[in-house]
Amino acid sequence: MLIAQITDLHLTPGETSSCQNIDRLRRVLKHIKDSPHVIDAILITGDLSEGGHPASYKALKTELTLLGIPYYLAMGNHDNAANLAACFPYVKLADGFLNYSINFPDLRFIILDTTLSGRHGGAFCENRADWLDKELGKESSKPTLIAMHHPPADIGIEWMTTREDSPWAKRFKTIIQQHKNVVHIMCGHIHRSIFLSYAGTTLSVAGAVAPQVSLDFSAIDPNKVDGRALVEDSPPSYTLHHWKSGQLTTHHVDIGAAPLIYYDAAHADVIKRTLDRD
Ligand SMILES: [Fe+2]
Ligand SMILES: [Fe+2]
């Protein structure tokens, strides 16, 4: 099963198609559509919209409908739950949150809402913890992927990160440590491609459709500007998760890389020598 994860689209109403986030999204979706492999599902891990405006969800729906691949949405801190649910009527909010599961024959997705209205960082209250605990316990041997917007771990970029001692992150980690069926946790929010081990499983953050966040581990002072780069001009990207024979393999994809070498007569020998067939 191939799952494309796209994240942090930050669509803004009124954008033109020239070099704006809607254009970046179209480039990502075209890459997915033109792939030589069949993609079974798309997970979109939040910040679909920049300001939660209904027009941005409508634009997203138009693009996804044209693509024709099943897709599943998660909330980000820039999203508006009511406007999102109004545009996608099959999205059902429970107690105002977008938490749900999708079952496939040999894999399950759990989509978690880690937002709290008015808050930039993550949130995961006791109600959501209870829901996740019960959901993971329902089919304790079923391999499960969790998709959520905020990474629940410190990824090192101070102005974007989650502190390890954040109550919400500690609450989430406790639940994950109690279950053995979580094969991977996929997140967004940071606008960078990141991989880490986490609570006995693995976790990745997908690169964004929108421009990426600059990599800088130095301490930041909220009361003193220092001129550092925060966001950089970079190609849109997405992540491809390949579930096969009980293993998940994750590939980062940058949009815009041009082919350099083709499998033609001049390079046929390269393939013969490189194929590792027992
Ligand atoms: Fe974002
Ligand atoms: Fe975000």
Side-chain angles (χ1 to χ4, degrees), residues 104-116:
F104 294 93
D106 63 345
L107 190 63
R108 170 175 58 170
F109 299 164
I110 292 182
I111 288 90
L112 275 185
D113 187 335
T114 57
T115 66
L116 190 61

Side-chain angles (χ1 to χ4, degrees), residues 8 10 46-47 76-78 120 149-150 160 188-191:
D8 296 83
H10 290 268
D47 284 357
N77 52 295
H78 282 262
H120 174 78
H149 184 63
H150 296 87
M160 290 294 291
H189 185 62
I190 308 297
H191 293 225

Side-chain angles (χ1 to χ4, degrees), residues 12-205:
T12 305
E15 282 184 338
T16 67
S17 62
S18 59
C19 208
Q20 299 289 332
N21 286 344
I22 188 72
D23 182 55
R24 296 172 69 94
L25 173 65
R26 286 175 182 146
R27 291 170 65 196
V28 167
L29 297 183
K30 183 176 186 323
H31 194 279
I32 289 172
K33 181 169 177 265
D34 294 346
S35 294
H37 34 258
V38 175
I39 290 174
D40 302 288
I42 298 179
L43 279 169
I44 309 181
T45 44
D47 284 357
L48 318 177
S49 168
E50 170 64 18
H53 194 280
S56 51
Y57 297 118
K58 192 169 171 227
L60 173 61
K61 190 176 183 180
T62 299
E63 300 298 329
L64 291 170
T65 302
L66 282 171
L67 186 64
I69 298 173
Y71 60 87
Y72 307 98
L73 307 175
M75 277 282 294
N77 52 295
H78 282 262
D79 289 308
N80 178 294
N83 290 344
L84 190 155
C87 186
F88 299 92
Y90 39 87
V91 166
K92 298 282 181 254
L93 299 176
D95 296 330
F97 295 113
L98 185 58
N99 296 321
Y100 59 103
S101 293
I102 305 290
N103 265 297
F104 294 93
D106 63 345
L107 190 63
R108 170 175 58 170
F109 299 164
I110 292 182
I111 288 90
L112 275 185
D113 187 335
T114 57
T115 66
L116 190 61
S117 183
R119 183 172 153 73
H120 174 78
F124 190 65
C125 56
E126 291 288 358
N127 285 349
R128 282 177 272 187
D130 287 346
W131 181 86
L132 177 61
D133 191 31
K134 288 194 180 92
E135 203 66 15
L136 285 170
K138 272 185 192 166
E139 293 187 75
S140 57
S141 60
K142 184 145 193 175
T144 301
L145 285 176
I146 293 179
M148 55 200 272
H149 184 63
H150 296 87
D154 182 6
I155 48 74
I157 302 170
E158 194 176 350
W159 68 282
M160 290 294 291
T161 200
T162 298
R163 292 193 331 272
E164 292 284 357
D165 61 351
S166 298
W168 82 267
K170 285 164 62 177
R171 192 176 291 123
F172 177 80
K173 193 171 196 176
T174 299
I175 302 292
I176 298 304
Q177 286 170 328
Q178 289 168 355
H179 296 271
K180 300 294 172 214
N181 50 350
V182 179
V183 295
H184 190 65
I185 300 165
M186 53 180 70
C187 305
H189 185 62
I190 308 297
H191 293 225
R192 289 199 69 85
S193 177
I194 304 166
F195 300 85
L196 58 148
S197 56
Y198 175 84
T201 184
T202 53
L203 187 150
S204 61
V205 182

Side-chain angles (χ1 to χ4, degrees), residues 263 268-278:
Y263 182 23
D269 190 51
V270 172
I271 300 301
K272 284 197 184 80
R273 283 188 284 113
T274 310
L275 267 176
D276 184 19
R277 294 234 169 107
D278 293 327

